[in-house]
Amino acid sequence: MSRATLVGATIVVIILVFAVFGPLFTSHDPYASDFLRGISPEHLPVGPNGTFVLGTDRLFRDQLARLAVGARVSLLIGLLATTIATVIGGAVGILAGWFEGRMLDVVLMRVVDVGLAFPFLLIVMALGAALDRTTPITIFITLGLTGWLGTARLVRAKVLLLRHLDFITAARALGQTTPRILLRHVLPNVAGPLIVVSTVSVAQMILAESVLSYLGAGIAPPTPTWGHMLFEGQDYFATAPWISLAPGIAIMLSVLGFNLLGEGLRDALDPQKK
C-alpha cells in the first residue's frame, strides 16, 4: 500500500468515525442557540474555546455539533447517490458493451452522450428544481440519477475488451446463456473498475451536495450541511473565520481522502500494475 493510499484511507476512516460518533464529543444541541456562552461581548460568535471547541456560528450554535451532523448528511448522501449511480451505470455499460453496434447499444450511448454534453451540476439543479429538493432522499436520488453517465461509458469500454477474450468465447461455445455469461464472467471482471470509480464518485457526490447547499439548491435549513455552513460564514470571514474554515476543511479532506483511496485501489486492482 502506497503512502498516498494510506493517507486517503486514514482520512476516510477518521471522517466516518466522526460522522458516527461526532455528536458524542459535545453536549451542545446543533440546532439550539446559546445566548449565554456562545456570544462575545461584541455580540459576535465566540471563537474556539474550552466550551465550544470549534466556536459558534452566526446564530451562536455549536460548530462542532453542526459539523458532525453535516458529516452524517454529506456521507449518507454521497454513499447512497454513488450506489444508485454505480448500479445504473454498471448495468447500462454492461448491456451496451455486450450488444455492441446493436440498437440497444446505440440508444443507450446516445443517452449517455446527451447527458455528458451538459454540466453535471446544471443537470442536478434543473432536476432538483422540478422535485421536492428539501430532503436528503430527493437529493441523493437526484445525484444518483444524474451521476451514472461516466460510469456507464467506462464499464462499456471494459466489456468491449472482455467480450472478445478466449474465456468468453469458450463460455459461448459451451452453450451458456447471455445472462449467465454476464453474471458469472463479465460482472466479476468489471467489478474492479467499478469499485475504483465508485470510491472516487463518493468524493464527487459530497462535493456536488456541498455546492448545491451553498447555492441554496440543496437541503433546506435548519438541517446542517457543510455547504450551507460555508455559505453562512462567508459574511463573517473577517470577524469570525472559523465559521467557514471548519466546513471548508471538512469538504476538502473528504474529497482528498476518497480521491487518494480511489487512486490507491486503482493501482491495486489494475493487473498491469502488478
Side-chain angles (χ1 to χ4, degrees), residues 48-242:
N49 55 52
T51 303
F52 301 98
V53 177
L54 296 179
T56 58
D57 66 359
R58 65 175 186 174
L59 296 180
F60 315 116
R61 298 169 296 191
D62 182 35
Q63 277 279 93
L64 179 61
R66 293 182 63 78
L67 198 69
V69 176
R72 290 183 175 182
V73 173
S74 295
L75 286 176
L76 181 64
I77 290 177
L79 293 173
L80 292 178
T82 298
T83 300
I84 295 175
T86 301
V87 171
I88 297 176
V92 170
I94 290 175
L95 292 175
W98 185 258
F99 296 101
E100 177 190 11
R102 301 184 188 180
M103 182 59 68
L104 181 61
D105 176 35
V106 173
V107 171
L108 291 176
M109 285 301 99
R110 293 299 77 78
V111 172
V112 172
D113 291 339
V114 171
L116 291 176
F118 295 92
F120 173 65
L121 286 177
L122 181 62
I123 300 177
V124 173
M125 293 180 67
L127 190 56
L131 300 173
D132 179 13
R133 54 181 173 79
T134 60
T135 65
I137 295 177
T138 53
I139 290 295
F140 78 71
I141 290 177
T142 302
L143 290 173
L145 293 178
T146 54
W148 59 270
L149 301 170
T151 302
R153 175 160 288 184
L154 182 146
V155 173
R156 178 180 181 271
K158 181 67 175 179
V159 174
L160 290 178
L161 297 175
L162 290 173
R163 68 191 302 268
H164 299 295
L165 296 182
D166 292 340
F167 73 96
I168 296 294
T169 304
R172 285 173 166 174
L174 291 173
Q176 294 187 16
T177 62
T178 296
R180 182 179 178 85
I181 294 175
L182 294 179
L183 291 176
R184 292 180 60 88
H185 302 290
V186 175
L187 182 58
N189 282 278
V190 301
L194 269 179
I195 293 174
V196 174
V197 74
S198 298
T199 305
V200 177
S201 180
V202 174
Q204 296 175 344
M205 295 299 181
I206 291 175
L207 185 59
E209 186 276 327
S210 299
V211 171
L212 289 175
S213 296
Y214 180 84
L215 296 176
I219 301 173
T223 302
T225 61
W226 288 347
H228 191 71
M229 291 174 67
L230 194 64
F231 171 79
E232 289 182 331
Q234 64 181 358
D235 294 333
Y236 291 82
F237 194 77
T239 56
W242 57 86

